[in-house]
Amino acid sequence: MSPPFSLQYIVAFFLFFTKCLTSPVAIAERAISNDDYASLNLFEQFAAAAYCRSNNNDKAGGTKITCSAGNCPLVQNDDVVSVYEFENSLTTDVTGYVAVDNTRSLTVLAFRGSRSVRNFVADANFPATQTDICPTCTAHAGFWNSWVEARAGVLAALKTAAASHPSNRVIIAGHSLGGAIADLAAAEIRKSGVTADLYTYGAPRIAGAALSDFITNQNKGGNYRVTHKNDPVPRLPPLPLGFVHISPEYYISTPNNVVPTANDITKYTGSVNLQGNSGNNPLEIDFNAHGWYFGAVGACDPNDGIEWKE
């Protein structure tokens, strides 16, 4: 579902304004290792699975994770079973699942991106709010409220999974809004002493420098913030509003509907990075790039647009 014509111009103005007022501070590393490539591809599919209704509508879990659109074959080929599924929360409609991959010895927490009116309200709730992650850590209010709504159930499910699979590698993943919530979840989960790797795709900026740098420097797991070409979402909220990214960025340069190779992905470091995704012409906005990373991330959603509260 394409955004209204006027919204495209609003986004373009914010992105152009951002680029005019800032300067790039980044170090580039061309191409990535085959191992990193394989992981970026795999965990994008776990993020894609969060859009599938069958994976987030049974609170008790016990469901094999599948994608009706066929866009998560690596996940489907493994023995992946949900431990806890969540959706349709009262305020923000935060949605996703906790699952155990018995084939790869993984415990995965995945959040869905925006698909409902309440999701879009959370996206638009820009003002920063205080968090309990660190004393000076403020975050985008809509993203923080989404994590707070999911927090109790998710942390309980992760504790249950750790009790039965103590040696599993913990992964936190999400696309779009799901990536923003994944950032905040990772911060809190790591703070509790758990080592967790963070994989986000097309995630917006979540916070000011205090929280973003806190997440970047936690040293309790890797950070993999993946962007694609002219996807406008990672350029929001604008830098002049005080929001910056976690680091590093893994930038995919291939066109839409083309599966990237390791040589098509460049790693950039720095919380204020105007290379990579933000280095593109701010007046060229491609919402379709937001839906394509290693595949069509949101293809499993049958609504293909705004979902109303049931």
Side-chain angles (χ1 to χ4, degrees):
M1 179 178 180
S2 299
F5 184 70
S6 59
L7 177 58
Q8 296 184 14
Y9 277 89
I10 293 170
V11 172
F13 171 78
F14 270 124
L15 300 181
F16 182 75
F17 186 59
T18 293
K19 193 156 187 176
C20 289
L21 292 183
T22 56
S23 58
V25 180
I27 299 173
E29 180 182 317
R30 184 65 183 176
I32 60 173
S33 70
N34 290 332
D35 286 346
D36 280 346
Y37 175 84
S39 293
L40 296 181
N41 184 24
L42 172 64
F43 297 123
E44 185 246 28
Q45 295 188 24
F46 276 101
Y51 284 92
C52 304
R53 186 69 183 275
S54 63
N55 300 328
N56 55 46
N57 64 354
D58 186 348
K59 189 173 182 179
T63 304
K64 178 173 171 57
I65 301 297
T66 61
C67 294
S68 58
N71 59 336
C72 65
L74 296 175
V75 177
Q76 290 191 168
N77 290 339
D78 287 356
D79 177 17
V80 185
V81 179
S82 67
V83 175
Y84 172 65
E85 303 172 18
F86 52 98
E87 67 166 351
N88 213 22
S89 64
L90 182 63
T91 303
T92 65
D93 191 28
V94 58
T95 296
Y97 64 85
V98 176
V100 170
D101 185 335
N102 294 302
T103 305
R104 302 177 192 264
S105 298
L106 303 172
T107 297
V108 179
L109 165 60
F111 293 95
R112 187 191 72 184
S114 299
R115 274 297 181 264
S116 71
V117 172
R118 284 166 293 152
N119 289 159
F120 290 114
V121 170
D123 290 337
N125 193 1
F126 275 18
T129 189
Q130 183 63 45
T131 74
D132 54 17
I133 293 174
C134 75
T136 60
C137 288
T138 60
H140 180 292
F143 303 155
W144 177 249
N145 292 338
S146 296
W147 165 236
V148 169
E149 261 201 310
R151 178 163 56 182
V154 164
L155 295 181
L158 289 174
K159 185 176 180 179
T160 297
S164 56
H165 300 83
S167 61
N168 274 14
R169 177 187 174 196
V170 177
I171 303 295
I172 305 171
H175 169 255
S176 191
L177 167 65
I181 303 169
D183 286 340
L184 298 169
E188 182 155 343
I189 290 164
R190 290 167 172 173
K191 184 181 174 183
S192 73
V194 176
T195 297
D197 292 323
L198 172 64
Y199 288 82
T200 69
Y201 303 84
R205 299 181 177 103
I206 62 159
L211 180 53
S212 293
D213 289 348
F214 180 89
I215 297 171
T216 295
N217 298 318
Q218 280 186 295
N219 296 319
K220 293 291 289 183
N223 296 320
Y224 301 87
R225 183 176 68 82
V226 188
T227 65
H228 177 217
K229 204 73 172 171
N230 279 320
D231 180 353
V233 173
R235 305 176 203 168
L236 297 170
L239 284 167
L241 295 185
F243 291 85
V244 299
H245 271 301
I246 66 168
S247 178
E249 171 189 11
Y250 290 79
Y251 171 65
I252 298 173
S253 59
T254 48
N256 298 338
N257 304 313
V258 175
V259 178
T261 68
N263 290 329
D264 298 317
I265 303 174
T266 304
K267 178 181 177 181
Y268 294 98
T269 59
S271 62
V272 179
N273 166 19
L274 296 185
Q275 300 182 61
N277 171 265
S278 294
N280 289 290
N281 184 341
L283 299 180
E284 294 180 3
I285 296 172
D286 184 2
F287 286 97
N288 290 326
H290 185 58
W292 180 272
Y293 272 75
F294 291 81
V297 188
C300 202
D301 188 330
N303 296 292
D304 192 27
I306 294 180
E307 169 189 313
W308 296 90
K309 179 174 172 58
E310 297 179 348

